[in-house]
Amino acid sequence: MLESIVHVCLAGLSGGMFIWLVASGLTLIFGVLGVLNFAHGSFYMLGAYLCFSVLRALGQNFWWGLLLGPLVVAAVGYLVERFFLRRVYGLELPYQLLLTFAFVLLFDDLVKILWGAGSLGAPGAPGLTDSVPILGRQFPVYNLFVIAVGPLVAVGLWALLEKTWAGRIIRASSSDREMASALGVKVPALFTAVFVFGSWLGALGGGLAVPYLGLLTPGMGEQVIIEAFVVAVIGGLGSLKGAFLGALLIGLLSAFGTRFLPAFDMFLTFILMAGVLLWRPQGFFGEKR
Amino acid sequence: MAKKGMSRRQFMKAGLLTAAAAALGPGVLKPTGLWAAETKIKGPVKVGYQTVMSGTLAGYGEFHKMGAQMAVEEINAAGGIGGVKLEMELRDSTLKAPDAIQNARYFVDSWGADFLAGVDSSGQALALAPVMAELDRVLMVTHAATEKLTEEHVFKNGVRQVFRMVTPTYQDGYAAAIVAKDLPIKTWATISPKYEYGFTCWEMFKSTLAALRPDVTFTAESWAPFGTTDFRSHINTIMDAKPEGLYSVEWAGELITMVKQGQQAGLFKQVKEVMLPVGAAMDVLEGLGQELPDNIWVSGRYYFLYPTNQANNDWVGRFHKRWQHYPAYVSEAAYSTMYAFKKAVEAAGSKDTKAVIGALEGMSLDTPAGTRVFRKEDHQAMYDVPWGLTKSDPKYPFKIMGKQVVVPALACFARPPFDGPASKPPFKS
């Protein structure tokens, strides 16, 4: 029993860190730009497929894929923000949702055209393909790696936003666009930079998913974006701290639910979300708007 | 001189035709001798085909399309159906029941379909059955496996318009149990989909195996919702229960993920026997490659190396040449569906639904998967698919079946009160 509790805990942690990696970019973009980016799941998917293509082109080396794939997606993110999203900032929310949803459909078909509709089996990450015994049961090293990467990204984001000059400008612009602009901050360029960085984070999640799932499918972005949205809502839209804790909670809850409360496994996360929306509609760390 | 040249040209033509016929193989060019019926069939024969072409399972739609399109090309190159052209239109079924119904109505009311085919999800098939009675067109189901479609809608409710080309849940539950009864283990557990298909197959497997082997017990079940990407908690449930055997009707990408994660957790070292009723599906074999463990039991609705005869070998060869892919079971079903329509229309001498149903009932059809017979009672195609133990083979980049066991369809497919004692094989339903 003990080994099962530990292993389910580890499974929950790695699952949660995964959702965090995706939710972080989503939350950052919402927090600064105020845009709910549906296409974030597409960036995740593109990140995975590009990582896969690079690793195949460069002799099955996953690490090159992880480095280069998300960079290409960041460039795609640049084009999306610079030439499309920028035009709808002034419009009402439904226009932004429509535009980003249009990109979901476009990218879904693009993936089918470029990589085919079938699923692609992906190899493991060199150096991390083994499993290690923990209390007599095997656990994959790669998942331990994901568990470590999650908090690293969290700390990195925190340091970037709280400890650097760029972070201060980002925070200033997110709390008052006009004032920041009046003080000489080039807000449009800043928005572009944040969007590009957020896209890169989503694609990084996708790249890391390649060995984690071992399989790429054209609809993979839609599955993950729903969980990321749930996490963002629970944690408080726009709050990175909230997204991190929300992801941990959802990951652990669904892992323990599956193992110890199997009849309710599908309900638990949504009960949690419903509860949060009822008692604290702004989420754990969200500000009242 | 001129005459001589003409006759030589005609001779060449005849030679070419013979060569083409030989290349197409015996399964294709079985002369039905019904050219007399030609005149009665008006206009093209139109088949509306729907399958999933978006989302994570879009690859299945591609596999359907490869088989269906290849059959259409071959049939038209060989003169069509009773002299008229075969036309097909393909639509995305999206796996949702309302979309399946909308597609069916579009096909019949707007496009003028004579026949419908395809359908991947059991929920869609069950929702479509009453609609087919209303639209009065034959629907050939090429993937959805629920036994309720043929038992309840066709047999009990008398929806004669619905037929099924592929093996149903009987193959996944009953045939599996008949193979499992000879395995020297006493405890079984499952990780299976948390919807109708998973529950039904596990129930069929359990009830039959319990009847055949009273010493066997079933120790754990873990149900994975549609779209599961992390099976680790499910795998822990099974490893805690320590069964000797694992049975799983996970399929497609989710099966690939489950096997990979099971490998990482050492699951396949702990259990002695593994049975995957849809493990021999081509997307799973290709997707797992060498990561599929050796010596586990797999089956499917068609396996590309069975039967080992000339007709199947030729077909697999032609398929690979046309698509640079080995055929998936849905490709074979889609391909054979077009030939079933051809044979039935030519036999009936018309596209009329009632006449075609009459021709299809009890009809025997030579297909790549072997000879299929459409059982009169429930319109289920009867044919055999082997169970086999996985092994490596230098000829293929993926695992294939080594040792095979065939549980004949006749031994495990009967159900409802189809007359006679043979309708109740060893299982209890």
Side-chain angles (χ1 to χ4, degrees):
Chain A
M1 190 48 104
L2 179 67
E3 74 255 41
S4 195
I5 292 173
V6 170
H7 273 264
V8 169
C9 201
L10 285 170
L13 283 175
S14 60
M17 281 309 103
F18 228 86
I19 308 170
W20 151 247
L21 287 171
V22 181
S24 62
L26 186 76
T27 301
L28 184 72
I29 289 173
F30 182 79
V32 178
L33 280 69
V35 171
L36 256 186
N37 182 23
F38 270 129
H40 198 68
S42 305
F43 292 145
Y44 166 87
M45 174 176 65
L46 282 176
Y49 273 94
L50 283 164
C51 172
F52 177 79
S53 283
V54 173
L55 80 85
R56 231 182 8 191
L58 297 180
Q60 301 294 331
N61 197 331
F62 165 73
W63 301 109
W64 278 111
L66 189 64
L67 185 72
L68 299 176
L71 286 180
V72 178
V73 179
V76 174
Y78 172 80
L79 297 176
V80 168
E81 201 280 341
R82 180 69 186 75
F83 295 103
F84 298 93
L85 209 54
R86 182 174 284 191
R87 294 165 195 272
V88 298
Y89 287 142
L91 301 178
E92 286 164 42
L93 199 66
Y95 291 97
Q96 300 178 359
L97 293 181
L98 265 178
L99 180 68
T100 57
F101 188 65
F103 276 108
V104 172
L105 301 177
L106 276 171
F107 287 134
D108 271 5
D109 279 347
L110 185 74
V111 162
K112 273 197 272 180
I113 291 165
L114 292 180
W115 285 279
S119 55
L120 300 171
L128 301 179
T129 48
D130 291 341
S131 293
V132 286
I134 297 174
L135 294 175
R137 195 169 286 179
Q138 300 287 320
F139 194 77
V141 177
Y142 186 76
N143 289 39
L144 293 173
F145 168 74
V146 170
I147 293 174
V149 168
L152 276 178
V153 168
V155 169
L157 276 173
W158 172 80
L160 176 76
L161 288 173
E162 302 290 329
K163 298 286 164 190
T164 66
W165 182 246
R168 287 173 76 173
I169 294 175
I170 290 171
R171 281 185 290 137
S173 312
S174 102
S175 63
D176 195 329
R177 235 175 261 191
E178 283 79 15
M179 186 54 90
S181 180
L183 291 173
V185 175
K186 284 183 185 134
V187 174
L190 183 86
F191 276 18
T192 307
V194 169
F195 191 84
V196 166
F197 183 59
S199 318
W200 179 81
L201 276 174
L204 183 72
L208 286 165
V210 172
Y212 185 81
L213 300 175
L215 178 81
L216 306 179
T217 52
M220 65 188 288
E222 281 148 49
Q223 287 178 342
V224 83
I225 197 70
I226 294 171
E227 280 181 324
F229 266 118
V230 171
V231 158
V233 168
I234 290 176
L237 277 171
S239 162
L240 284 167
K241 193 165 48 169
F244 184 76
L245 286 175
L248 264 185
L249 200 61
I250 292 286
L252 288 171
L253 202 65
S254 75
F256 275 92
T258 301
R259 173 63 188 88
F260 297 105
L261 266 179
F264 300 104
D265 61 345
M266 291 160 94
F267 292 107
L268 286 173
T269 40
F270 291 101
I271 284 176
L272 178 71
M273 185 165 102
V276 168
L277 285 176
L278 272 176
W279 304 116
R280 209 182 148 74
Q282 70 273 37
F284 294 156
F285 296 99
E287 291 158 22
K288 278 196 176 139
R289 280 167 196 269
Chain B
M1 279 292 278
K3 256 190 179 169
K4 205 177 171 187
M6 285 259 297
S7 75
R8 182 197 275 156
R9 200 177 298 154
Q10 267 168 354
F11 175 78
M12 291 287 286
K13 253 192 209 163
L16 275 175
L17 270 175
T18 319
L24 287 172
V28 176
L29 225 84
K30 193 138 240 182
T32 39
L34 286 151
W35 297 96
E38 209 171 307
T39 45
K40 280 200 207 163
I41 304 164
K42 284 199 191 92
V45 174
K46 298 174 96 176
V47 178
Y49 201 107
Q50 59 171 316
T51 174
V52 55
M53 299 175 81
S54 53
T56 48
L57 288 167
Y60 272 76
E62 280 298 308
F63 274 129
H64 278 275
K65 186 181 161 190
M66 290 175 192
Q69 195 177 321
M70 191 173 145
V72 171
E73 289 166 4
E74 284 183 6
I75 287 173
N76 284 335
I81 294 182
V84 303
K85 217 178 138 217
L86 171 61
E87 279 179 18
M88 176 185 71
E89 185 168 303
L90 211 61
R91 277 176 90 84
D92 183 2
S93 75
T94 74
L95 295 179
K96 295 185 196 89
D99 289 343
I101 293 172
Q102 209 181 338
N103 282 339
R105 290 197 184 281
Y106 160 80
F107 275 139
V108 175
D109 295 337
S110 306
W111 186 66
D114 300 301
F115 302 103
L116 301 187
V119 187
D120 297 277
S121 113
S122 288
Q124 288 185 310
L126 295 175
L128 268 177
V131 179
M132 295 321 298
E134 180 204 321
L135 293 172
D136 198 26
R137 290 288 187 284
V138 169
L139 166 69
M140 183 66 75
V141 173
T142 56
H143 194 189
T146 176
E147 76 292 345
K148 290 188 183 64
L149 177 71
T150 38
E151 289 184 1
E152 276 166 30
H153 284 289
V154 181
F155 180 71
K156 259 191 227 148
N157 302 344
V159 180
R160 312 304 290 172
Q161 289 85 351
V162 173
F163 288 78
R164 175 163 36 216
M165 183 55 85
V166 286
T167 57
T169 45
Y170 310 141
Q171 170 77 14
D172 307 341
Y174 295 145
I178 292 169
V179 173
K181 82 174 192 310
D182 296 326
L183 302 177
I185 60 167
K186 287 183 181 172
T187 48
W188 284 91
T190 190
I191 299 175
S192 283
K194 195 174 191 168
Y195 46 88
E196 176 69 23
Y197 171 65
F199 301 145
T200 303
C201 291
W202 176 237
E203 242 350 275
M204 286 178 164
F205 179 75
K206 272 202 308 188
S207 62
T208 310
L209 188 53
L212 296 168
R213 278 277 302 272
D215 60 326
V216 163
T217 52
F218 304 92
T219 54
E221 35 196 68
S222 196
W223 304 103
F226 187 73
T228 297
T229 51
D230 197 332
F231 284 89
R232 287 171 221 287
S233 296
H234 298 285
I235 290 165
N236 274 296
T237 303
I238 300 304
M239 293 182 85
D240 288 343
K242 298 192 174 61
E244 292 171 285
L246 174 72
Y247 169 91
S248 175
V249 286
E250 288 297 336
W251 59 287
E254 285 169 39
L255 176 57
I256 295 175
T257 304
M258 188 195 82
V259 171
K260 286 192 174 197
Q261 294 177 350
Q263 286 275 46
Q264 293 169 344
L267 174 67
F268 301 110
K269 289 199 185 94
Q270 192 190 300
V271 293
K272 291 195 186 111
E273 302 283 354
V274 178
M275 295 198 86
L276 306 175
V278 264
M282 190 47 71
D283 59 318
V284 176
L285 294 177
E286 284 184 337
L288 280 168
Q290 297 306 319
E291 288 180 72
L292 183 64
D294 280 325
N295 286 311
I296 63 172
W297 291 97
V298 293
S299 187
R301 316 223 192 284
Y302 159 76
Y303 169 63
F304 78 119
L305 294 175
Y306 183 92
T308 47
N309 59 25
Q310 195 65 37
N312 187 40
N313 292 349
D314 286 352
W315 184 70
V316 171
R318 266 183 291 139
F319 190 94
H320 195 267
K321 201 175 158 204
R322 176 74 177 82
W323 303 111
Q324 287 77 52
H325 254 294
Y326 291 104
Y329 63 74
V330 289
S331 313
E332 193 275 338
Y335 178 87
S336 298
T337 291
M338 299 301 164
Y339 279 96
F341 288 149
K342 174 177 161 69
K343 188 170 181 182
V345 168
E346 288 178 352
S350 107
K351 303 189 294 188
D352 172 63
T353 301
K354 215 173 159 195
V356 171
I357 291 174
L360 276 171
E361 283 185 339
M363 184 176 96
S364 128
L365 180 73
D366 287 333
T367 61
T371 302
R372 279 174 161 96
V373 177
F374 292 95
R375 185 158 67 178
K376 210 165 180 157
E377 291 88 347
D378 63 346
H379 293 180
Q380 171 62 49
M382 306 289 286
Y383 67 105
D384 303 335
V385 183
W387 273 88
L389 282 171
T390 50
K391 67 156 196 178
S392 298
D393 186 303
K395 272 194 292 208
Y396 301 97
F398 48 81
K399 301 282 172 86
I400 61 165
M401 286 186 192
K403 181 196 166 189
Q404 292 179 12
V405 175
V406 176
V407 181
L410 283 171
C412 65
F413 274 25
R415 273 262 309 251
F418 305 148
D419 282 2
S423 78
K424 287 163 200 137
F427 52 77
K428 283 173 194 153
S429 59

